[in-house]
Amino acid sequence: MTYRLGRLLLTAAVLIGVAAAAFAEAARENEVNVYSHRHYDIDLELYRQFEEQTGIEVNLVEGGSDELIERLLREGAESPADILMTVDAGRLHRAREAGVLQPVSSAALLAQVPEHLRDPDGYWYALTRRARVVVYHPDRVAADELTTYEALTDPRWAGRILIRSSSNIYNQSLMASMIANHGDHGAREWAAGIVANMARTPKGNDRGQMSAVAAGEGDIAIVNTYYVGRMLNSSDAEERAVAEQLRVFFPNQDGRGVHINVSGAGITASARNVAGALRLLEFLTAEAAQRLWAHANYEYPVNRNVPPAPLLESWGEFKADSLGLHRLGENNAAAVRIFDQVGWR
């Protein structure tokens, strides 16, 4: 091989490599990789609609929230993920603290997601809301007996309250909101009072608490609203029968309002398609997507222009706690510590 021919072949190889890299980068701009803890059919439909509208393909990896955060940490800067989607503001804060998210902002996101439902620095944005309410059996509890979360520590509720374990992130965030509103001492007194009034040692998920109320193991339970909606519309006749026996009560309506939690998403620190990921977040918080989520999964919209589904509206309007949800993550460690101190297992 002559020197001139070798130089030509080397130049050609370099050009081919540059072209391949450019092609790969162009292809990357036409796809968004999502790591998601959400596992609902309606999410797949929304991704399909986004693809049709934008030409950007959505690639989905599903897993548990903690598992996905750990995966992002392992993959580091080489992670293919553009978006992390999870449930609970505490987990979203955990992802920020772990360094796997980056701050982003846009006029659309700021208009569509209220300030208290997003990270103050733009690391994550809420997609849907869930209210943590009291469900009760109307044969054993009158609605006017219920007022606030704090009042559930009254001895009249001894042996009547059903709630999940302290390891559940929803309860940790509820406790974190108690810390924000009452300080460590007040939150500890509340937790101790709930433990004293439990009908049984905590076990099972929110559906399990509702089933236990229907079975007479307790009279009230603290659950997320979307579980009620899903059970009322379940394909399982037994689940529907359970939910139909119960009623929904929104605590603290004369004060700060009912505790709110969210599912949400942020753009990963390693994202290669930030622009496409931002477009997906804007799409999911816009009115059309919010309306579909509300009707299909019985979650409350974050977009103020979208009303709840008719079933949720039938439970009545309610005042929601406007506490900045980043506080739930900031108080998580203290919440876990208090649970351990009072013996909430």
Side-chain angles (χ1 to χ4, degrees):
M1 180 184 298
T2 67
Y3 175 75
R4 178 179 172 80
L5 179 58
R7 285 291 301 270
L8 288 173
L9 290 175
L10 178 60
T11 300
V14 169
L15 290 173
I16 290 171
V18 170
F23 178 80
E25 188 63 28
R28 192 70 183 81
E29 291 176 358
N30 288 318
E31 64 180 28
V32 171
N33 296 326
V34 178
Y35 283 8
S36 179
H37 178 73
R38 290 180 59 93
H39 46 80
Y40 308 112
D41 291 342
I42 187 57
D43 292 24
L44 302 180
E45 171 60 19
L46 286 170
Y47 299 149
R48 185 192 65 78
Q49 292 186 15
F50 175 77
E51 290 174 340
E52 284 188 355
Q53 290 184 24
T54 66
I56 299 173
E57 181 180 354
V58 178
N59 302 314
L60 179 65
V61 173
E62 294 182 333
S65 291
D66 294 335
E67 169 194 349
L68 293 174
I69 293 172
E70 288 300 317
R71 178 170 177 170
L72 285 167
L73 286 169
R74 287 196 310 272
E75 293 171 341
E78 301 304 313
S79 176
D82 296 302
I83 288 178
L84 173 66
M85 188 177 298
T86 186
V87 295
D88 187 87
R91 286 195 178 112
L92 289 162
H93 181 80
R94 189 179 302 168
R96 172 183 173 166
E97 291 296 291
V100 300
L101 301 179
Q102 64 173 289
V104 297
S105 183
S106 73
L109 277 177
L110 296 180
Q112 291 165 183
V113 182
E115 184 177 4
H116 68 286
L117 299 179
R118 59 180 189 256
D119 180 80
D121 299 314
Y123 281 87
W124 54 262
Y125 294 82
L127 300 174
T128 63
R129 295 184 299 151
R130 294 96 176 264
R132 196 141 184 84
V133 298
V134 174
V135 294
Y136 62 98
H137 200 294
D139 290 348
R140 303 192 295 274
V141 177
D144 60 8
E145 294 181 79
L146 297 165
T147 55
T148 66
Y149 298 108
E150 291 81 355
L152 297 179
T153 63
D154 190 283
R156 72 188 296 180
W157 298 109
R160 303 174 71 186
I161 296 176
L162 292 154
I163 191 167
R164 291 169 78 157
S165 74
S166 61
S167 64
N168 173 246
I169 191 68
Y170 303 142
N171 282 343
Q172 290 175 11
S173 288
L174 176 59
M175 173 60 76
S177 76
M178 288 289 176
I179 295 170
N181 283 284
H182 300 296
D184 281 17
H185 179 73
R188 188 178 298 107
E189 286 190 336
W190 178 79
I194 295 295
V195 170
N197 287 344
M198 287 180 179
R200 65 181 185 186
T201 301
K203 63 179 180 179
N205 57 21
D206 279 12
R207 288 184 176 91
Q209 312 314 308
M210 294 168 64
S211 295
V213 173
E217 294 183 51
D219 296 335
I220 64 173
I222 298 176
V223 302
N224 280 354
T225 43
Y226 87 106
Y227 285 109
V228 183
R230 290 180 66 83
M231 287 185 73
L232 283 169
N233 289 275
S234 173
S235 59
D236 186 324
E238 290 186 8
E239 282 198 345
R240 293 197 305 274
V242 164
E244 287 166 359
Q245 294 180 54
L246 308 181
R247 302 293 181 269
V248 173
F249 179 81
F250 296 96
N252 295 75
Q253 292 305 283
D254 293 330
R256 68 180 182 276
V258 67
H259 171 66
I260 294 293
N261 212 320
V262 296
S263 68
I267 295 180
T268 65
S270 62
R272 292 172 174 80
N273 189 4
V274 173
L278 190 59
R279 288 185 71 180
L280 180 54
L281 294 188
E282 291 170 346
F283 171 85
L284 292 174
T285 54
E287 291 183 29
Q290 289 282 294
R291 193 170 292 109
L292 278 177
W293 255 332
H295 284 75
N297 207 42
Y298 312 104
E299 297 176 274
Y300 287 97
V302 299
N303 191 312
R304 294 187 181 95
N305 296 326
V306 180
L311 172 62
L312 277 63
E313 284 190 320
S314 74
W315 299 336
E317 295 184 3
F318 63 90
K319 179 180 179 181
D321 191 347
S322 60
L323 177 73
L325 294 188
H326 63 284
R327 299 283 301 280
L328 306 185
E330 292 169 354
N331 290 336
N332 180 267
V336 172
R337 183 180 67 250
I338 289 171
F339 278 140
D340 289 341
Q341 290 171 347
V342 302
W344 187 324
R345 303 307 179 205

